[in-house]
Amino acid sequence: MLQQVSDAFVLAPVRHAIDRGWLKSWPGDVGVDMTGVPAWHHPPSDHRDLGSIETTAGWHFSAGDTEGVFGHSLTLAVAASRRSNGQRISRHPQLALGAVLDTGGKRPGPNAVHALQQLQHLGLPTGVLAADRAYTDQKSEHFQTHTRRLGYQLALDYRQEHRGIQGTHHGALLIDGTLACPLTPAPTATATTGLDDKQIREIDTNEELKKRIAAREPFHLKHKQGPDHTGTIRLQCPAAGTSPSITCPRFNRLHPPARTAPVAVDLTDRRAVAAHSAAKPAAQIPQAERLHPPTAKELPRICRQPTITIHPGDLGKLDKFRQDRPYLSDAWHDVFKPIRANNEGLNGRGKGHRVDLAEPKHRLAHGRAAQTILVALTICTLNLQILHDWKHTTGTTEPIPAAEDKGPSPIAPAGSPAATGRPPPTG
């Protein structure tokens, strides 16, 4: 019940924007993030062996910070916008679509899922969902599985120790969240292994790394079908289909191609040259396999059959790493960076001088119930300010509702209370 009241406050301005068509161009992209909301009361003291009056608070640690904030963690979902060719694809007010307050550092995944589930009742679209490493580290059943079933495509980041080859599924390599051919060249597959955050941020200045990332693309399993309403997809071997992206001796041995007459290629036609098999990367099979080819049963499933089906949760513990755009590719940068910037912008605005969630003096009541209501009212106010500023910046005006025709008003007789505006005489 408490969270329902909070949701009603937060979503009231969102419903207002939907009714007026201000979110029509929004493709459903969402960024989720947790931010610390400090408590007014003192934290527990080990030195004095004293607890805190604020028993529902805890320590919130932001990424990279060694000093935490004693208080609550606020999960915020923002109506974000991806970019294409450096430009935003939609112009809409970047509202807070959900807010869930919890004990510091607790339940980031389930709280984000709750905020997203409320949007289903509003008939809003689902697009890309970008989240930082706090959500990548969640168990898949707490975050990734549910968000996929809601219809979102995930854009994630990884810790240093999780970059590179993360595991296998049906023989396919899981490389930075994307399933790829088991014969992907090692220098390409391990391009990000061991790289720290600074090297990842400076990828634009590292031409060798950019080339290795780009070289992964032909070896990625190709999207064939889905997702359906459960989040299930079908993926295809990159050497299969009418437009294979690589050539593979193993695939050709197991699935011999039909013999066709040689076709002349116009070397002045770039598309025709690129489409020819000789111009595509070739999977290199081990020397032992060339000398003694294994039977089909001895090979991975992805090599035996051209397609595999992936349900949410099929990868087990590895499912938390899976995402829908190749990590560090141009497509990934076009969604992850701007959506995360929208998140940071909302957090900064919420802690600005106009509402200032970072000032505990504005929320002196203790207990999570009181704090939840106070924070929800603050986010509601923040959303109203966002709508006001967006209308002022874009020149958008409120539509004037059509007046309801109730017919001619009856004329009160002269001297009656309705005509004079005076109350009727008493006694």
Side-chain angles (χ1 to χ4, degrees):
M1 176 63 75
L2 174 63
Q3 190 56 49
Q4 290 176 353
V5 174
S6 173
D7 293 338
F9 281 130
V10 172
L11 292 176
V14 178
R15 294 178 187 274
H16 180 81
I18 294 172
D19 292 342
R20 281 147 184 79
W22 296 337
L23 292 177
K24 257 184 191 176
S25 66
W26 177 57
D29 298 338
V30 177
V32 292
D33 193 21
M34 280 201 315
T35 187
V37 179
W40 165 249
H41 305 87
H42 293 295
S45 172
D46 293 334
H47 176 69
R48 302 176 62 187
D49 198 22
L50 293 175
S52 174
I53 295 177
E54 186 55 88
T55 57
T56 62
W59 289 98
H60 174 93
F61 290 90
S62 298
D65 289 348
T66 56
E67 293 187 7
V69 173
F70 181 73
H72 297 85
S73 290
L74 176 62
T75 299
L76 285 174
V78 61
S81 177
R82 74 187 86 165
R83 292 184 179 272
S84 178
N85 298 322
Q87 300 294 323
R88 285 177 56 185
I89 66 170
S90 63
R91 300 287 177 181
H92 62 271
Q94 294 176 359
L95 297 167
L97 301 175
V100 182
L101 195 75
D102 207 336
T103 302
K106 301 296 184 182
R107 295 173 286 275
N111 290 337
V113 170
H114 172 85
L116 297 172
Q117 286 172 336
Q118 306 316 302
L119 305 182
Q120 301 291 301
H121 309 309
L122 303 180
L124 293 172
T126 54
V128 177
L129 173 64
D132 64 12
R133 287 172 286 188
Y135 295 90
T136 309
D137 289 342
Q138 293 291 293
K139 291 183 178 179
S140 59
E141 60 267 26
H142 290 168
F143 180 67
Q144 288 85 346
T145 300
H146 293 289
T147 53
R148 290 187 187 281
R149 286 175 177 165
L150 289 174
Y152 288 97
Q153 302 171 33
L154 298 183
L156 306 171
D157 193 13
Y158 305 111
R159 295 180 185 232
Q160 180 176 356
E161 63 269 25
H162 293 153
R163 294 180 179 131
I165 300 176
Q166 297 157 328
T168 62
H169 182 67
H170 291 323
L173 300 176
L174 184 65
I175 304 173
D176 286 330
T178 301
L179 288 168
C181 170
L183 296 176
T184 302
T188 301
T190 60
T192 56
T193 302
L195 295 185
D196 58 28
D197 294 345
K198 184 175 183 292
Q199 292 171 300
I200 295 296
R201 287 193 299 268
E202 295 176 351
I203 185 174
D204 290 336
T205 62
N206 189 334
E207 292 299 326
E208 180 62 26
L209 178 58
K210 289 172 67 175
K211 288 179 181 179
R212 290 189 178 187
I213 295 296
R216 289 176 171 179
E217 185 176 358
F219 292 90
H220 290 154
L221 302 193
K222 295 184 292 184
H223 184 270
K224 185 173 176 64
Q225 188 178 7
D228 62 12
H229 67 282
T230 66
T232 300
I233 60 173
R234 286 186 65 78
L235 300 177
Q236 186 179 51
C237 167
T242 57
S243 300
S245 56
I246 65 171
T247 58
C248 178
R250 179 186 291 176
F251 180 86
N252 292 336
R253 179 172 68 84
L254 296 177
H255 311 277
R259 293 182 177 274
T260 58
V263 178
V265 178
D266 183 1
L267 298 181
T268 63
D269 186 343
R270 291 185 179 181
R271 293 185 63 182
V273 171
H276 196 273
S277 59
K280 296 175 181 178
Q284 302 297 320
I285 61 175
Q287 183 68 18
E289 184 175 339
R290 292 181 182 276
L291 298 175
H292 305 285
T295 63
K297 290 184 179 180
E298 296 175 303
L299 293 173
R301 182 175 175 182
I302 187 59
C303 299
R304 297 197 307 267
Q305 63 185 52
T307 61
I308 57 174
T309 301
I310 306 293
H311 302 87
D314 272 1
L315 275 67
K317 293 181 179 180
L318 298 176
D319 203 51
K320 67 179 184 178
F321 296 128
R322 187 163 62 92
Q323 57 179 313
D324 296 276
R325 282 165 174 73
Y327 185 56
L328 299 181
S329 66
D330 291 340
W332 182 86
H333 281 293
D334 282 344
V335 296
F336 188 81
K337 281 189 173 181
I339 293 177
R340 290 293 301 146
N342 294 157
N343 261 129
E344 296 300 328
L346 181 65
N347 291 345
R349 190 161 185 164
K351 295 182 179 180
H353 69 278
R354 297 174 75 180
V355 293
D356 202 359
L357 275 168
E359 178 50 73
K361 292 180 181 178
H362 296 169
R363 297 169 285 99
L364 296 179
H366 69 270
R368 200 170 79 195
Q371 290 293 312
T372 295
I373 298 302
L374 291 172
V375 168
L377 288 169
T378 303
I379 298 299
C380 178
T381 303
L382 177 62
N383 272 342
L384 292 174
Q385 290 176 353
I386 291 172
L387 287 178
H388 175 272
D389 294 348
W390 180 80
K391 288 188 295 180
H392 178 74
T393 303
T394 61
T396 304
T397 57
E398 288 270 6
I400 301 175
E404 185 178 353
D405 186 9
K406 297 182 179 179
S409 300
I411 300 175
S416 68
T420 62
R422 295 193 298 268
T426 57

